[in-house]
Amino acid sequence: MKTLIKLIAVAAAFGLSPAAALAQDVLPAQPAQELVAESQADPAQPEEASPDQAAVNPEEPSDATVAASTYASQVVPEPGVGQPDGRMMLQDQFTPIGEEAAWFHNVILLPVITAISILVLVLMAWVVIRYRRAANPTPSRTTHNTLIEVIWTLVPVIILVIIAVPSIRLLANQYSPPDADLTVKVTGNQWYWTYSYPDHGDFEIVSNMLSDEDAAARGEPRLLGVDERMVVPAGATVKLIVTSNDVIHAFAVPAFWAKIDAVPGRLNETWFKVDKPGVYYGQCSELCGARHAYMPIAVEVVAPQQFAAWVASKGGTMPGAAPTPVAASDAIDETSETTMPDMPEPILVNATSTAVTIEQAATSNPSEVAE
């Protein structure tokens, strides 16, 4: 047995040594510490991780001059409105659903979880102090307590009922939207957004993130400013139809309490209604690739007159607008009579007789006519 083990060990040594030597010749070993140091000194950038970005999105980078040419883009963002400002709590909400959700969070959830946390902390401290070994050399042998078991069964039920009632009402309101005043189709791409307006001539705009220099020049927050914003009128119920062209994205605007996945081959729907004009920001909230953090969302809410002017500047039309008048030369004179050209009278050819007209064939026998 020992001899067999020795033979196996010798064979393994002879078999592995050449392979190991070859591997060392092909790829010299490098200390692990040097690799870590190099990766920290020169981290991979999004541009390096996706060198074919130009092929995916062949459009030129965002330009502040081009962005400022749109009619509605003159609205300046207001600090603390529709954008993160470093606070610990939720952003200020500007939609009915957002206000209801913020109330539910601040008035119901936070007090309930705070009370539960304090109660559990007090009970744990009391148990540690009251029932420590020094204070209780002889531990209690109690195994059941009816009152405690009733309390810890009923109290969670009451808490769940308190949470469930406003929660179900919020869900019902969120997924029972009113009739929409306009529809915007949102399409996620790697890594930008496109917005289509099917109710206004079905025109489409492409929204890319501004560079840091362009964002600073326009007074936009870094990594949130875009060259083309989604523009909607104030006070209108906006229905969003959300989908994707490539991978799963997520359209999210915290100030609207709106977040929904953009799934390839699927149409998801959400809605919002904002009364306060301004600029509201969001971001893709689903990990979608190397430049996931560089596809922000900017929604500009303007007065209805400004929205109509913006639609016209994009080549769209407002619903119910008068159709384009027809030129006089193209008009049809209803009083003129339409005459049909003279058509030759069709004839019926008989192989055994002379040709006769259809009228003769309908009233006579071709053999009689031949006679």
Side-chain angles (χ1 to χ4, degrees):
M1 187 66 181
K2 293 181 179 180
T3 304
L4 179 60
I5 294 176
K6 290 180 180 180
L7 291 175
I8 294 175
V10 171
F14 278 105
L16 295 178
S17 296
L22 180 61
Q24 292 178 358
D25 293 338
V26 175
L27 182 61
Q30 186 175 6
Q33 294 181 354
E34 294 182 9
L35 292 175
V36 175
E38 290 179 4
S39 64
Q40 293 297 328
D42 188 18
Q45 299 299 320
E47 292 80 5
E48 298 173 359
S50 57
D52 58 341
Q53 172 65 14
V56 177
N57 182 14
E59 298 193 4
E60 294 295 329
S62 304
D63 189 298
T65 304
V66 176
S69 65
T70 57
Y71 182 84
S73 65
Q74 305 301 323
V75 177
V76 179
E78 182 179 347
V81 175
Q83 57 183 289
D85 55 3
R87 71 178 69 181
M88 294 180 60
M89 301 295 288
L90 301 172
Q91 290 187 24
D92 294 336
Q93 298 299 307
F94 295 91
T95 63
I97 294 298
E99 293 174 352
E100 184 178 356
W103 175 88
F104 178 51
H105 175 270
N106 298 331
V107 178
I108 302 295
L109 293 183
L110 274 184
V112 167
I113 195 61
T114 301
I116 292 175
S117 301
I118 293 175
L119 176 62
V120 172
L121 179 62
V122 170
L123 289 177
M124 290 180 63
W126 180 65
V127 170
V128 169
I129 296 173
R130 174 67 179 81
Y131 296 101
R132 68 188 189 278
R133 179 182 296 235
N136 290 275
T138 304
S140 172
R141 299 289 183 178
T142 303
T143 58
H144 292 81
N145 187 297
T146 304
L147 178 60
I148 291 178
E149 292 184 358
V150 170
I151 291 175
W152 73 34
T153 301
L154 291 181
V155 170
V157 172
I158 295 174
I159 294 174
L160 290 177
V161 171
I162 293 174
I163 295 175
V165 172
S167 176
I168 294 174
R169 183 176 64 245
L170 174 62
L171 289 174
N173 295 336
Q174 186 172 359
Y175 291 100
S176 299
D179 294 336
D181 297 315
L182 75 154
T183 301
V184 180
K185 182 181 179 182
V186 180
T187 305
N189 308 272
Q190 288 182 312
W191 290 269
Y192 60 97
W193 297 95
T194 56
Y195 306 118
S196 303
Y197 288 75
D199 299 337
H200 299 81
D202 203 21
F203 67 92
E204 181 179 277
I205 60 175
V206 180
S207 179
N208 288 278
M209 187 187 74
L210 290 173
S211 64
D212 292 348
E213 294 77 11
D214 291 344
R218 285 187 52 185
E220 303 265 7
R222 179 176 177 271
L223 300 181
L224 291 177
V226 298
D227 57 353
E228 290 281 0
R229 301 166 178 166
M230 177 198 297
V231 181
V232 297
T237 300
V238 182
K239 178 171 71 173
L240 299 181
I241 299 177
V242 185
T243 186
S244 171
N245 274 336
D246 34 54
V247 299
I248 298 178
H249 302 275
F251 183 90
V253 181
F256 296 170
W257 203 266
K259 179 181 179 182
I260 192 165
D261 283 344
V263 183
R266 179 173 179 177
L267 300 178
N268 290 332
E269 182 179 323
T270 187
W271 69 283
F272 63 84
K273 178 183 178 183
V274 185
D275 296 325
K276 177 181 173 61
V279 184
Y280 305 87
Y281 297 96
Q283 284 182 311
C284 176
S285 298
E286 189 74 39
L287 187 59
C288 58
R291 296 188 64 84
H292 158 68
Y294 303 95
M295 51 181 303
I297 300 163
V299 180
E300 183 174 344
V301 180
V302 298
Q305 297 82 0
Q306 290 179 318
F307 176 74
W310 177 81
V311 169
S313 70
K314 297 299 182 182
T317 56
M318 295 297 294
T324 303
V326 181
S329 59
D330 298 333
I332 298 176
D333 187 2
E334 297 180 356
T335 60
S336 62
E337 296 181 358
T338 303
T339 59
M340 296 296 294
D342 295 335
M343 299 294 293
E345 186 178 3
I347 59 176
L348 179 64
V349 178
N350 193 313
T352 59
S353 61
T354 59
V356 297
T357 63
I358 289 180
E359 295 179 354
Q360 293 172 338
T363 56
S364 305
N365 190 324
S367 59
E368 298 176 355
V369 174
E371 296 175 355

